[in-house]
Amino acid sequence: MGELPFFRAHTALHPDHLWIWERSVYVDENQRTWLPITIETESSLQVLMRQENVSLGEAVCPSLLAPCPLPSMWQLYPGRRYRGSDSSFWRIVYHIEFSGKEDMLLEQLPDPEVRVLLAFVGTFMLAITCVSRACVFCAATPQSRREQGAKDSPPQGL
């Protein structure tokens, strides 16, 4: 009985840069072409970059391209991520090579200003929770905090 061949995907080296060349075509520092497939969900924006050889036409100025949620250039940063020309950060979810083709899935990270706002809102919500019932962090109740002179404030350090 014949055995089936064993296929193995390999991790690949990440391109240092990806530049928009024309609509839906990016080029890396080794002149390899990458085709983006955008995946939008309620909670995130992802792009599957597939390395495929395509004939390159004339390069198009990014300002002449139709609006797109993807940056016109990505630069590899430490920590398995890219920074876009629009200052966005993208996490490398995976990057594999299989049968001579590479796939790299990138996921846009939340804007740092949004993260700060979410942290503030989260702390505010924690403060409301601590005031309205027993605090899970300090085991104090609203009554015990009033007796200690806390005046319905959140525990220190939050």
Side-chain angles (χ1 to χ4, degrees), residues 2-152:
E3 293 201 19
L4 294 174
F6 180 73
F7 295 103
R8 178 178 292 213
H10 301 281
T11 56
L13 294 176
H14 311 310
D16 285 332
H17 290 84
L18 291 165
W19 294 273
I20 190 84
W21 185 265
E22 60 189 43
R23 187 175 185 269
S24 299
V25 178
Y26 285 83
V27 176
D28 68 16
E29 65 277 3
N30 297 313
Q31 297 302 308
R32 298 182 312 154
T33 51
W34 296 79
L35 307 178
I37 301 168
T38 305
I39 306 161
E40 285 189 71
T41 65
E42 288 181 20
S43 60
S44 71
L45 175 62
Q46 295 181 329
V47 59
L48 176 65
M49 299 296 284
R50 175 158 291 165
Q51 193 280 309
E52 289 205 20
N53 297 326
V54 296
S55 299
L56 291 175
E58 190 74 25
V60 177
C61 180
S63 63
L64 298 178
L65 293 170
C68 176
L70 303 179
S72 57
M73 190 271 296
W74 276 288
Q75 180 180 357
L76 185 62
Y77 262 55
R80 291 183 50 89
R81 60 191 176 141
Y82 280 93
R83 183 170 185 170
S85 54
D86 59 358
S87 298
S88 59
F89 281 97
W90 298 74
R91 176 177 71 96
I92 301 170
V93 178
Y94 67 80
H95 183 184
I96 59 169
E97 181 180 349
F98 180 75
S99 297
K101 298 285 184 202
E102 290 182 46
D103 281 348
M104 180 170 58
L105 182 64
L106 305 175
E107 179 177 55
Q108 189 174 26
L109 297 172
D111 186 324
E113 291 178 9
V114 172
R115 281 184 275 182
V116 168
L117 178 62
L118 291 175
F120 171 76
V121 170
T123 301
F124 180 72
M125 294 303 292
L126 176 63
I128 291 172
T129 302
C130 288
V131 169
S132 63
R133 54 188 158 101
C135 178
V136 295
F137 294 102
C138 63
T141 63
Q143 179 64 32
S144 66
R145 281 194 301 277
R146 277 192 287 280
E147 291 169 358
Q148 295 171 358
K151 300 291 185 202
D152 291 341

